Amino acid sequence: MTPQRTDQLQTPALIVDNDLLQQNLDTMATALPGARLRPHVKAHKCTALARRQYDVGHHGFTCATIREVEGMAKAGLGEDLLLANEVLDMSRLGVLVTEGHRITVAVDSAQTVKAAHDAGLREVVVDVNVGLPRCGCAPEDAGTLADLARSNGLHVRGVMGYEGHLMMAEPIAEKRHRTEESMELLLRAHEDVGGELVTAGGTGTYAVNTWANEIQAGSYALMDTAYGSLDIPFAQALSVLGTVISVSPKWAVADVGLKALGMDHGNPSIPGARVLFCSDEHITFAPEEPVSVGDLVHVLPAHVDPTVALHEALYLVHGDEILERWTVDLRGW
Amino acid sequence: MTPQRTDQLQTPALIVDNDLLQQNLDTMATALPGARLRPHVKAHKCTALARRQYDVGHHGFTCATIREVEGMAKAGLGEDLLLANEVLDMSRLGVLVTEGHRITVAVDSAQTVKAAHDAGLREVVVDVNVGLPRCGCAPEDAGTLADLARSNGLHVRGVMGYEGHLMMAEPIAEKRHRTEESMELLLRAHEDVGGELVTAGGTGTYAVNTWANEIQAGSYALMDTAYGSLDIPFAQALSVLGTVISVSPKWAVADVGLKALGMDHGNPSIPGARVLFCSDEHITFAPEEPVSVGDLVHVLPAHVDPTVALHEALYLVHGDEILERWTVDLRGW
């Protein structure tokens, strides 16, 4: 039987508030319309949700894994997919290119340029380190890398940077100033590289990063708890529905454990309760008001992206009514 | 093409050292032969690995979720499955019982007894709180609950307790003493409940818990990093294989991010390197010796159980040779 209401779901289950999701998508599409936003699908790993983003005007997407690129292409959303990450075995991407999908990959080394060429990729962006100690070549090396890519027959679409270290910077003036410094590095690289794309940013900097010509935000759609402290106009649309399975005098237990939660940002929260600890399949919490075995609880994960990656489906709801079941179809690698 | 060697794998990939795994299984089967161990499948979520445990003599298994019970039954390993957890909607378990699988569920409240009866379950154990603030009734309530179960036509097989708060207790004499106190609560409840089972324990207490007549250890098979500090004879058999995708002067990056790692115990480790931080799909680390783009690295997760739950498969290896691909087929709920 297909569940019609949330109280018919097997818990734990991922719940997405349809109104809040749509409000988030509309707000962002107003701020960064069309190609100004290249939504990052890593935040939700769900082509049905990506289709909603497409429907509000964003036709290019950002991906973090080969599987995400493949899934988006197979879902008919392969007009312009950017794999904003370095990979070395691109054979699966090469297949997609020959099938007619537009796939662009990030490169930051001679090895990744060679990998792109060998696998039959046609388009790349040069990934530039703009301050986050992760991938990306030094800004001064970007032009040489672009030349190498072109000499390998690759079309260089521009530059990419990710100011991930600034997503939580405060106050806003400080964030704007530091983002400008970071993007100056990217623009300097862009002078040497050329191409039409200056792609960067995320949900934490979407409103201040006016230097990139497209922003790779993803978290805004479901909205991450950590970003909740920022003054940005997006609402938390996702929670994990659980069932109270045991009640003791001083605590209660629900069936939302750490295997159902992204735990890298720490424990989740439960409105109206103090979370004591999480086990594999349990959350022990002290509720402010008494709860009973069988009650439903909404658990708010501390980090949305890895939480979604643990579930097979998102349930789109309006109140207690289930509108749609969306498969989390971009999981894995 | 089916990968034959680890360097042909799409990374990140879960790698299990076959020799170490078998050594762990054999060591435990010698210490707790046959029915003295009821292996907990939550630690690996893999019926192929459970089959190995069956083959060394353990024919009853412990599960944490309905999906784990279902998967084990469908894999032909349903001789005696204990769902060591409270659930309220047991309809899927009832189906398995009518199909001839032996399913026992934990109950700790009138509601869970009613749920077991309503779904057509036939056998239960009474889950008793032995000191871990989670599920389980008070020891003094166990007899009443057993009577209630029997009056509902359920066969009560005995009592269950989990001294999870003592897994890391040290030194060993202290662990033994506190485990004895904990198990005294369980044995007192058992006097009121009756039945043949006194089921408890885990990898951290398997050697000291001589009061339970079966031990529910699971982590010993792949062996958890956190347990590595304990003086127990099991070897870490699991790692996450990654590829170095970017190298900068002061750090390198591999493609094993927090979506490929159980993060509730903190950052993973990389032998011969200092881990700086994890992002969704990246680990930034400072290697002691230079690494190159394309090199393979072994990342040791801080918590094995939730790491496995993030992957589709385990690759059983001997050195660089892939012996088998085992699907992680017990994921989800």
Side-chain angles (χ1 to χ4, degrees):
Chain A
M1 186 191 71
T2 307
Q4 307 290 317
R5 296 168 43 85
T6 52
D7 60 7
Q8 297 164 343
L9 286 172
Q10 173 74 50
T11 53
L14 279 189
I15 299 293
V16 174
D17 184 297
N18 183 55
D19 292 345
L20 295 179
L21 168 65
Q22 195 58 47
Q23 176 187 307
N24 289 344
L25 299 184
D26 292 341
T27 299
M28 184 60 99
T30 302
L32 298 176
R36 281 281 290 131
L37 186 79
R38 185 185 286 276
H40 209 317
V41 302
K42 81 184 177 83
H44 52 69
K45 287 186 178 283
C46 174
T47 57
L49 204 162
R51 172 66 64 186
R52 284 273 187 102
Q53 293 173 310
Y54 187 96
D55 290 344
V56 296
H58 316 297
H59 297 178
F61 289 91
T62 312
C63 301
T65 66
I66 292 172
R67 178 72 63 85
E68 288 173 8
V69 176
E70 274 182 343
M72 289 291 287
K74 289 182 197 312
L77 294 162
E79 282 178 34
D80 184 0
L81 299 174
L82 170 61
L83 179 53
N85 199 0
E86 280 66 27
V87 286
L88 290 165
D89 179 358
M90 300 195 205
S91 50
R92 287 159 57 195
L93 298 177
V95 171
L96 296 175
V97 170
T98 60
E99 289 174 358
H101 305 287
R102 186 176 192 186
I103 315 289
T104 304
V105 296
V107 294
D108 72 349
S109 63
Q111 293 96 325
T112 43
V113 167
K114 180 176 188 303
H117 169 265
D118 290 353
L121 274 284
R122 294 172 193 156
E123 299 185 288
V124 299
V125 291
V126 176
D127 186 5
V128 180
N129 178 357
V130 295
L132 177 72
R134 210 166 67 185
C135 301
C137 68
E140 59 272 23
D141 295 337
T144 307
L145 207 56
D147 293 343
L148 179 67
R150 292 194 178 98
S151 73
N152 275 270
L154 295 162
H155 174 61
V156 180
R157 294 185 68 188
V159 292
M160 178 180 101
Y162 178 55
E163 68 279 23
H165 55 305
L166 304 179
M167 290 298 139
M168 301 302 293
E170 288 186 303
I172 189 83
E174 166 79 2
K175 176 181 281 188
R176 189 186 305 273
H177 172 66
R178 292 182 64 192
T179 299
E180 180 172 14
E181 288 179 339
S182 181
M183 290 299 105
E184 277 171 1
L185 298 174
L186 190 59
L187 293 174
R188 201 175 312 156
H190 187 235
E191 285 176 18
D192 298 337
V193 169
E196 74 277 18
L197 291 185
V198 180
T199 183
T203 296
T205 60
Y206 88 98
V208 300
N209 190 337
T210 52
W211 300 274
N213 58 24
E214 62 174 37
I215 298 292
Q216 298 181 1
S219 298
Y220 77 97
L222 299 174
M223 193 49 185
D224 221 329
T225 325
Y227 285 140
S229 64
L230 298 175
D231 183 25
I232 49 178
F234 306 107
Q236 271 181 254
L238 179 135
S239 60
V240 189
L241 188 71
T243 304
V244 175
I245 56 169
S246 186
V247 175
S248 289
K250 294 186 180 170
W251 65 83
V253 181
D255 58 358
V256 180
L258 58 88
K259 283 181 179 165
L261 295 161
M263 294 293 292
D264 56 291
H265 279 47
N267 277 339
S269 54
I270 299 177
R274 186 164 51 91
V275 171
L276 301 179
F277 68 100
C278 292
S279 317
D280 276 12
E281 302 290 354
H282 304 99
I283 185 166
T284 298
F285 63 102
E288 289 164 12
E289 303 292 331
V291 296
S292 300
V293 172
D295 285 356
L296 295 177
V297 291
H298 285 269
V299 179
L300 303 176
H303 194 184
V304 162
D305 295 19
T307 298
V308 176
L310 284 160
H311 291 259
E312 291 170 11
L314 297 164
Y315 291 90
L316 197 71
V317 303
H318 177 75
D320 296 335
E321 182 193 358
I322 298 171
L323 306 175
E324 288 182 56
R325 180 189 187 276
W326 287 351
T327 304
V328 183
D329 50 358
L330 302 177
R331 306 196 296 165
W333 293 278
Chain B
M1 185 191 71
T2 306
Q4 307 289 316
R5 295 168 43 86
T6 52
D7 60 7
Q8 298 164 343
L9 286 172
Q10 172 74 48
T11 53
L14 279 188
I15 300 294
V16 175
D17 185 297
N18 184 55
D19 292 346
L20 295 179
L21 169 64
Q22 195 58 46
Q23 177 187 307
N24 289 343
L25 299 184
D26 291 341
T27 299
M28 184 61 98
T30 302
L32 297 176
R36 280 283 290 131
L37 186 79
R38 184 185 285 277
H40 208 317
V41 302
K42 81 184 177 83
H44 53 69
K45 285 184 178 285
C46 174
T47 57
L49 203 162
R51 172 66 62 186
R52 284 273 187 101
Q53 293 173 309
Y54 188 96
D55 289 345
V56 295
H58 315 297
H59 296 179
F61 289 90
T62 311
C63 302
T65 66
I66 292 173
R67 179 72 62 85
E68 289 173 8
V69 176
E70 274 183 343
M72 289 291 286
K74 288 181 199 311
L77 294 162
E79 282 178 34
D80 183 0
L81 299 173
L82 169 61
L83 179 53
N85 199 359
E86 279 67 26
V87 288
L88 290 165
D89 180 358
M90 299 195 205
S91 51
R92 288 158 58 196
L93 298 178
V95 171
L96 297 175
V97 170
T98 59
E99 289 173 359
H101 305 288
R102 186 177 193 184
I103 315 290
T104 304
V105 296
V107 294
D108 73 348
S109 63
Q111 294 95 327
T112 43
V113 167
K114 180 175 188 304
H117 168 265
D118 289 353
L121 273 285
R122 294 173 193 156
E123 298 185 288
V124 298
V125 290
V126 176
D127 186 6
V128 180
N129 178 356
V130 294
L132 177 72
R134 211 166 67 185
C135 301
C137 68
E140 59 271 24
D141 295 337
T144 308
L145 207 57
D147 293 343
L148 178 67
R150 292 195 179 99
S151 73
N152 275 269
L154 295 162
H155 175 61
V156 180
R157 294 185 69 189
V159 292
M160 178 181 101
Y162 178 54
E163 69 279 23
H165 55 305
L166 304 179
M167 290 297 139
M168 303 301 293
E170 289 186 302
I172 190 81
E174 167 80 2
K175 175 181 283 188
R176 189 187 304 271
H177 171 66
R178 293 183 62 195
T179 299
E180 180 172 13
E181 287 179 340
S182 181
M183 289 301 104
E184 277 172 2
L185 298 174
L186 190 59
L187 292 174
R188 202 175 312 156
H190 187 235
E191 285 177 17
D192 298 338
V193 169
E196 75 277 18
L197 291 186
V198 179
T199 182
T203 296
T205 59
Y206 87 97
V208 301
N209 189 336
T210 51
W211 300 275
N213 58 25
E214 62 175 35
I215 298 292
Q216 299 181 1
S219 298
Y220 76 97
L222 299 174
M223 192 49 183
D224 221 327
T225 325
Y227 286 140
S229 65
L230 299 175
D231 183 25
I232 49 179
F234 305 107
Q236 270 181 254
L238 178 136
S239 60
V240 189
L241 187 72
T243 304
V244 176
I245 57 169
S246 185
V247 175
S248 289
K250 294 186 180 170
W251 65 81
V253 181
D255 58 359
V256 180
L258 58 88
K259 283 180 177 165
L261 294 161
M263 294 293 291
D264 56 291
H265 279 47
N267 277 339
S269 55
I270 299 177
R274 188 164 50 93
V275 171
L276 301 178
F277 67 101
C278 292
S279 317
D280 276 14
E281 302 290 354
H282 303 99
I283 185 166
T284 298
F285 63 102
E288 288 166 12
E289 302 293 331
V291 297
S292 301
V293 173
D295 285 357
L296 295 176
V297 290
H298 285 270
V299 180
L300 303 177
H303 195 184
V304 162
D305 294 19
T307 298
V308 175
L310 284 158
H311 292 258
E312 291 169 10
L314 297 164
Y315 291 91
L316 196 71
V317 304
H318 178 75
D320 297 334
E321 182 194 358
I322 297 171
L323 305 175
E324 289 183 54
R325 180 188 188 275
W326 287 351
T327 304
V328 184
D329 51 358
L330 302 177
R331 306 196 295 165
W333 293 279

